């Protein structure tokens, strides 16, 4: 068996989720950088791996796959190490629900509207668009409310063990916490902050932390 290969930049939230999944399984991997800020995700070579030009893409033993949800479930099932998907059907459904909430609501609001404007635009020499940020804030709060409801009194999004859902939220949370909007908003979500405190020093979280700026 050869080491799996992850394509994408280490600063991407979805790439980080794949890195953390591999690390939680104890699987060594190779990272092939594809810098989306330099347009490297739009080359013909990369588009053959991921026709939508998104990161990450993944390959293992000649098996190439894209879409983070498919990649991380494959990793969990193909490699030994602790299971990252609950065996119980109801808890597993909760995990998948949390992942869908992050994919479809939290990512767009927090990363698409707020982080892209507040952190990434200045790195590219642009000014943040305050309208886009203020439109994103209520959507971010709505998504965080849903995720906090899923947490309840636990410190994991689905059941009591770490699952793929937690690994989806870590990168999104951490970028949001770097923005003034995150600093102002997150205290309204004490259960999510407790969830974060229980994870922030975990090896896979620390070793994949992006350097911004
Ligand atoms: N549905 C994709 C979404 C991946 C995604 O949105 N990745 C972002 C970076 S975190 C990206 O590739 N952005 C580059 C672009 O849209 O051009 C997945 O689950 O893998």
């Amino acid at each position: 068996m050869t080491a799996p290969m992850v394509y994408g930049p280490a600063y991407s939230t979805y790439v980080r989720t794949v890195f953390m999944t591999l690390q939680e399984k104890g699987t060594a991997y190779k990272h092939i950088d594809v810098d989306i800020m330099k347009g490297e995700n739009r080359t013909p070579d990369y588009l053959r791996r991921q026709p939508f030009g998104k990161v990450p893409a993944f390959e293992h033993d000649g098996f190439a796959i894209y879409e983070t949800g498919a990649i991380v479930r494959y990793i969990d099932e193909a490699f030994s190490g602790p299971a990252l998907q609950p065996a119980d059907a109801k808890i597993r459904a909760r995990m998948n629900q949390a992942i869908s909430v992050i994919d479809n609501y939290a990512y767009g609001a927090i990363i698409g509207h707020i982080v892209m404007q507040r952190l990434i635009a200045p790195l590219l020499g642009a000014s943040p668009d305050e309208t886009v940020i203020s439109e994103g804030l209520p959507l971010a709060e709505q998504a965080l409310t849903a995720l906090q409801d899923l947490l309840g009194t636990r410190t994991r999004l689905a059941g009591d063990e770490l699952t793929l859902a937690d690994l989806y939220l870590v990168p999104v949370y951490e970028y949001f916490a770097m923005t003034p909007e995150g600093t102002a908003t997150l205290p309204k979500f004490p259960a999510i902050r407790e969830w974060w405190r229980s994870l922030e020093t975990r090896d896979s979280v620390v070793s994949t932390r992006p350097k911004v700026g």
Side-chain angles (χ1 to χ4, degrees):
M1 252 200 208
T2 53
M5 297 186 287
V6 185
Y7 294 77
Y11 57 75
S12 148
T13 61
Y14 284 108
V15 171
R16 189 178 179 198
T17 295
V18 174
F19 287 166
M20 285 190 291
T21 304
L22 286 158
Q23 292 192 20
E24 289 293 336
K25 297 299 276 188
T27 303
Y29 57 92
K30 199 171 157 202
H31 173 213
I32 295 100
D33 195 17
V34 177
D35 193 344
I36 57 181
M37 293 210 214
K38 294 185 184 148
E40 292 173 358
N41 55 323
R42 298 277 160 200
T43 64
D45 250 15
Y46 186 73
L47 290 170
R48 272 190 288 278
R49 291 204 167 273
Q50 217 295 7
F52 302 96
K54 301 279 180 190
V55 292
F58 180 85
E59 186 171 331
H60 175 229
D61 274 345
F63 174 64
I65 185 167
Y66 63 85
E67 281 300 303
T68 306
I71 296 168
V72 294
R73 288 173 178 89
Y74 171 79
I75 293 168
D76 189 39
E77 288 156 25
F79 296 95
S80 55
L84 298 170
Q85 299 175 90
D88 178 88
K90 292 191 174 71
I91 304 178
R92 198 177 180 104
R94 285 281 179 237
M95 176 197 77
N96 286 322
Q97 183 184 3
I99 290 174
S100 283
V101 169
I102 297 161
D103 259 341
N104 295 310
Y105 310 109
Y107 178 87
I110 294 175
I111 304 296
H113 280 258
I114 300 168
V115 171
M116 288 301 286
Q117 293 302 324
R118 196 57 87 207
L119 301 183
I120 309 297
L123 291 179
L124 299 173
S127 305
D129 185 329
E130 299 297 335
T131 309
V132 173
I133 292 174
S134 50
E135 281 168 3
L137 261 177
L139 301 173
E141 291 206 17
Q142 185 186 29
L144 290 168
T145 302
L147 292 167
Q148 178 152 278
D149 286 350
L150 287 174
L151 271 173
T153 55
R154 290 173 289 97
T155 53
R156 295 292 176 262
L157 281 166
D160 296 317
E161 306 298 330
L162 183 88
T163 70
L164 298 176
D166 300 299
L167 302 181
Y168 260 76
L169 187 56
V170 163
V172 174
Y173 176 97
E174 197 156 18
Y175 273 137
F176 190 41
M178 289 178 200
T179 66
E181 287 73 21
T183 312
T185 304
L186 288 166
K188 295 189 214 165
F189 296 93
I192 292 183
R193 296 234 298 189
E194 277 310 303
W195 165 88
W196 174 245
R197 282 194 194 103
S198 77
L199 286 172
E200 63 183 327
T201 57
R202 202 176 171 98
D203 285 351
S204 67
V205 174
V206 173
S207 67
T208 58
R209 186 158 285 149
K211 292 163 197 68
V212 176

